[in-house]
Amino acid sequence: MHSLMGGGLLCAVSGLVLLIVATATDFWMQYRYSGNLSHQGLWRYCVGGKCHVHTITIAFWDATRAFMLLSILSCFAGIILGLTTFSSSARLTRTRMAGITLLIAGLLALLGLSIYTGVTVNVFAKRYEDWRFSWSYILGWVGVILTISAGVFHIFAFSKDSSVDSSAVASS
């Protein structure tokens, strides 16, 4: 059980770091604009080496930002719950809750990235001929995989520990 939870916490911390970096950086998409290589993130866009804050409110940016921020908060809560399982008497409940919280965090990030992907492919791909997703966006997807894996590890640790407890009760 401890090795599954340790692996889950390692994945969760790594996923949290990647989700924070992906959300905070400005390299979700790169494109050519007026001959200059430009890039944009959730908060700013940069053209010709000068960065500017997004001044217009577009629903997909707001939705992506909200889902990514909620994912980061959920992942942090899942990590705290996972750490408290090592010193708590309610180990089974907290292990299960950590797993569920981390799965929710992964699904929230998945939603945010999916919204961004759908709009970018359908809108920006038509506007810019030479464009591509960039490293911040890719880190977000890796963070999703790690966070969901962390949740699965915690759920497996819960099921493994609860089956050991039930067999111990049955033998006595």
Side-chain angles (χ1 to χ4, degrees):
M1 176 180 146
H2 289 292
S3 62
L4 283 172
M5 287 174 40
L9 284 172
L10 180 65
C11 286
V13 169
S14 302
L16 177 63
V17 168
L18 293 180
L19 289 173
I20 290 171
V21 170
T23 303
T25 54
D26 300 326
F27 287 88
W28 281 56
M29 184 177 86
Q30 290 182 329
Y31 54 94
R32 291 218 175 267
Y33 183 75
S34 300
N36 293 322
L37 186 60
S38 305
H39 55 88
Q40 74 176 12
L42 298 178
W43 312 100
R44 301 184 316 168
Y45 65 96
C46 301
V47 179
K50 293 185 180 181
C51 295
H52 310 280
V53 176
H54 290 294
T55 54
I56 57 174
T57 301
I58 299 178
F60 89 93
W61 275 328
D62 290 340
T64 303
R65 290 175 193 149
F67 283 126
M68 294 302 288
L69 291 174
L70 287 172
S71 172
I72 289 168
L73 292 174
S74 292
C75 190
F76 183 73
I79 291 169
I80 297 300
L81 281 168
L83 287 172
T84 60
T85 60
F86 290 107
S87 63
S88 173
S89 61
R91 184 173 67 225
L92 280 177
T93 304
R94 291 202 180 176
T95 302
R96 182 179 59 210
M97 290 305 297
I100 292 169
T101 305
L102 289 167
L103 285 174
I104 289 170
L107 292 175
L108 288 169
L110 179 72
L111 273 170
L113 285 157
S114 297
I115 290 169
Y116 186 86
T117 302
V119 172
T120 300
V121 168
N122 289 321
V123 174
F124 288 109
K126 295 174 185 170
R127 187 173 176 191
Y128 304 108
E129 290 182 23
D130 186 19
W131 71 276
R132 66 175 185 214
F133 291 115
S134 193
W135 60 267
S136 298
Y137 173 82
I138 294 166
L139 287 182
W141 281 108
V142 174
V144 166
I145 293 167
L146 287 171
T147 305
I148 290 174
S149 298
V152 169
F153 281 150
H154 277 83
I155 296 295
F156 281 158
F158 167 76
S159 64
K160 183 178 178 182
D161 195 33
S162 63
S163 66
V164 168
D165 285 348
S166 63
S167 65
V169 169
S171 65
S172 53

